[in-house]
Amino acid sequence: MIPATDLEAVVVGVLMQLPPDTAQRHLDRLEPGDFTDWRAATVTALLTAMLAEGLSSLDPA
């Protein structure tokens, strides 16, 4: 069985690869409480803040 935290890491990883407008649509539906892993919740909140500042990409590279 795959732990939930691994799946949460996948969700965060996918969000970081999406174009900002697409990522925003998904982030609008997520809240930190949706995650069991505090790291995924923190990164999701950071991605939301980055988009709010108008960052042109969430690509980690």
Side-chain angles (χ1 to χ4, degrees), residues 5-19 23 27 30 35 39-40 43-44 47 58-61:
T5 53
D6 286 347
L7 296 175
E8 291 176 357
V10 170
V11 168
V12 170
V14 167
L15 286 169
M16 291 180 359
Q17 302 301 322
L18 293 174
L27 287 166
L30 293 172
F35 297 94
R39 294 168 292 192
V43 172
T44 301
L47 294 175
L58 296 177
D59 185 347

Side-chain angles (χ1 to χ4, degrees), residues 22-60:
T22 304
Q24 185 66 62
R25 289 191 308 234
H26 296 289
L27 287 166
D28 287 345
R29 296 173 183 242
L30 293 172
E31 298 178 7
D34 293 335
F35 297 94
T36 59
D37 185 336
W38 66 269
R39 294 168 292 192
T42 301
V43 172
T44 301
L46 177 61
L47 294 175
T48 300
M50 290 167 69
L51 286 175
E53 291 294 322
L55 195 66
S56 63
S57 173
L58 296 177
D59 185 347

